[in-house]
Amino acid sequence: MSEQRQEHARDGRRRGPGVVVVGAGMAGVRTAVALREQGYEGGITLIGEEPHPPYDRPPLSKAVLLGQAEGSAFDVDFEALSVDLVVGRKATGLRPSAREVDTTAGPLPYDVLVVATGAEATVLPGTRDVPGVHPLRTLDDAVRLRPVLERRQRVVVVGAGWIGAEFTTAAREAGCAVTVVEAADRPLAGALPAEVAAPMTGWYAESGATLLTDARVAGVEPGTVVLADGRRLPADAVVVGIGARPATAWLTGSGIALGADGSITADERLRTTLPDVHAVGDCASFPSARYGERLLVHHWDNALQGPLTVAAQVVGETERVYDPVPYFWSEQFGRFVQYAGHHGTADTLVRRGDPAGAAWSVVWLRDGVLVALLAVGRPRDLAQGRKLIETGTRLDPVLSADPAVPLRKAAL
């Protein structure tokens, strides 16, 4: 940290409001921690909309949902870090000219603002106030769904994406009868191409769940989900997993630039179009030089890594650029699924192993360079592939197709 920045940070702790982080999920918490790790000595205020202490989200669809854990609070001593944690306080607006965030508890001044408000679950039209219809994104959502699993109720899951698959896995483990309704012709239609996702259709049947593809929900009545073709599905509970949208509506009128998808259009250093305002995690997109397009990544690793760049900006290390290899994982139907990279611009798909088997991978190449990889039960492929993507390594497509050959041995 430069001497000028250090002095500013010390002054911030003594006199000014310092850094305000809006959003107490992984991205917000990690930003506060990273600021201290990188030497920031000014004041830090972390505000979260939910009334709970900050918690990790991945356990919600498994351990918390199944009653194996009461929560998943972060192991962070905010007092020891001199971070002022305020929960149950929602941001309602931003006035950059006054350097103030409007909240449900009044205005909050800032010297530097970090927006880390994440994303909010997409609501199934016409169901916002219908009893028995549940999202699964927050701790309260998981707690409300726990009795459904305990009573082994009949559940209809709307959406066969990552959340739908993980919830279905937990519900079948608990003994619930589960029917999954998917508007597309396959699971994970929004995340993976047909030739990769199609084999995953069988995972639902293996678990004892019923998967209905090319099926649309026309409405939800008490105890029943009505499909567009007239079918009526009995449902004691309905779980909706049809995506999420950046939680940025509170920024309307602030002058901050938003994309068509609602995301804050941050730059390569996660700075917004407003001075001294940064954005990180699920609420922000960023330009990727690696992939030649703007990325919006709604996954845990993005919320973990992005704050390092934001903290570097705040302490004056302005050369750090954010251009990660996106990564995520999902545990579903007894399988560990991992993905690294971004396959949108790939021109070649190479299979490693039989997708009908227990372990297989798919790699995507662009002009011979590895750009993305999906691994099912092959963590070594993922670990090696992620490093090869980071270094922009070319692969031999013939060797890459042999699952007995380690990926690093296929490098040219």
Side-chain angles (χ1 to χ4, degrees):
M1 188 191 299
S2 69
E3 290 185 8
Q4 183 178 9
R5 284 280 181 150
Q6 285 179 333
E7 186 59 34
H8 174 75
R10 294 190 192 99
D11 287 347
R13 171 169 283 187
R14 291 197 299 263
R15 298 193 301 270
V19 178
V20 171
V21 182
V22 181
M26 168 59 81
V29 169
R30 185 60 185 142
T31 296
V33 172
L35 283 166
R36 291 298 186 226
E37 289 177 342
Q38 296 191 33
Y40 179 74
E41 297 181 1
I44 301 176
T45 301
L46 174 64
I47 69 170
E49 179 178 347
E50 295 182 53
H52 314 288
Y55 59 87
D56 206 5
R57 293 189 187 278
L60 299 183
S61 60
K62 183 69 173 177
V64 176
L65 190 62
L66 289 169
Q68 298 166 353
E70 290 304 312
S72 53
F74 292 115
D75 184 17
V76 176
D77 189 336
F78 294 101
E79 185 176 355
L81 289 173
S82 296
V83 172
D84 184 11
L85 172 64
V86 182
V87 298
R89 186 171 185 177
K90 181 180 180 179
T92 58
L94 171 61
R95 290 178 289 113
S97 59
R99 287 186 175 255
E100 287 186 337
V101 176
D102 289 324
T103 78
T104 49
L108 187 64
Y110 67 86
D111 289 322
V112 174
L113 176 66
V114 180
V115 181
T117 43
E120 50 197 8
T122 301
V123 176
L124 185 65
T127 65
R128 186 175 294 275
D129 298 316
V130 177
V133 178
H134 305 266
L136 178 53
R137 189 163 185 88
T138 69
L139 177 59
D140 288 339
D141 293 337
V143 170
R144 279 190 287 266
L145 277 165
R146 191 183 292 172
V148 173
L149 273 63
E150 292 172 346
R151 298 167 188 160
R152 300 183 179 181
Q153 293 182 325
R154 297 169 300 178
V155 184
V156 170
V157 178
V158 183
W162 300 112
I163 289 295
E166 291 176 3
F167 175 83
T168 299
T169 300
R172 286 299 302 140
E173 184 177 327
C176 295
V178 182
T179 300
V180 182
V181 178
E182 171 55 52
D185 62 352
R186 63 189 186 278
L188 296 170
L192 298 171
E195 62 268 38
V196 176
M200 299 175 176
T201 300
W203 297 0
Y204 288 81
E206 289 176 14
S207 75
T210 299
L211 173 63
L212 304 179
T213 55
D214 294 307
R216 294 185 176 276
V217 175
V220 178
E221 302 172 358
T224 305
V225 173
V226 183
L227 301 186
D229 60 9
R231 283 179 288 179
R232 300 175 68 86
L233 308 177
D236 299 307
V238 179
V239 177
V240 180
I242 55 174
R245 184 175 176 84
T248 56
W250 66 280
L251 294 168
T252 300
S254 68
I256 199 168
L258 303 177
D261 55 11
S263 68
I264 299 169
T265 54
D267 68 6
E268 71 280 2
R269 293 176 174 82
L270 299 181
R271 299 171 300 193
T272 75
T273 52
L274 297 178
D276 296 315
V277 179
H278 309 261
V280 66
D282 291 3
C283 67
S285 64
F286 57 90
S288 171
R290 186 190 308 277
Y291 292 106
E293 60 183 284
R294 179 169 288 274
L295 300 181
L296 175 60
V297 181
H298 280 185
H299 294 294
W300 186 89
D301 192 65
N302 179 49
L304 179 69
Q305 301 299 333
L308 300 177
T309 297
V310 171
Q313 291 295 307
V314 174
V315 301
E317 296 174 12
T318 58
E319 297 307 308
R320 184 191 290 260
V321 170
Y322 190 61
D323 195 5
V325 173
Y327 166 74
F328 70 88
W329 78 95
S330 175
E331 295 181 84
Q332 52 182 271
F333 307 113
R335 295 168 171 86
F336 188 43
V337 183
Q338 296 173 282
Y339 178 95
H342 177 65
H343 66 268
T345 58
D347 52 41
T348 304
L349 183 152
V350 180
R351 294 189 179 278
R352 288 171 58 80
D354 183 358
W360 50 275
S361 298
V362 172
V363 299
W364 285 270
L365 309 177
R366 184 181 65 209
D367 297 329
V369 175
L370 180 63
V371 294
L373 179 144
L374 175 76
V376 178
R378 291 180 65 94
R380 182 174 296 179
D381 275 7
L382 191 286
Q384 294 183 11
R386 193 176 183 182
K387 292 179 180 178
L388 294 170
I389 295 171
E390 288 174 348
T391 55
T393 302
R394 297 177 61 85
L395 296 186
D396 182 318
V398 176
L399 290 177
S400 299
D402 186 346
V405 175
L407 268 180
R408 57 185 176 80
K409 296 291 187 181
L412 294 174

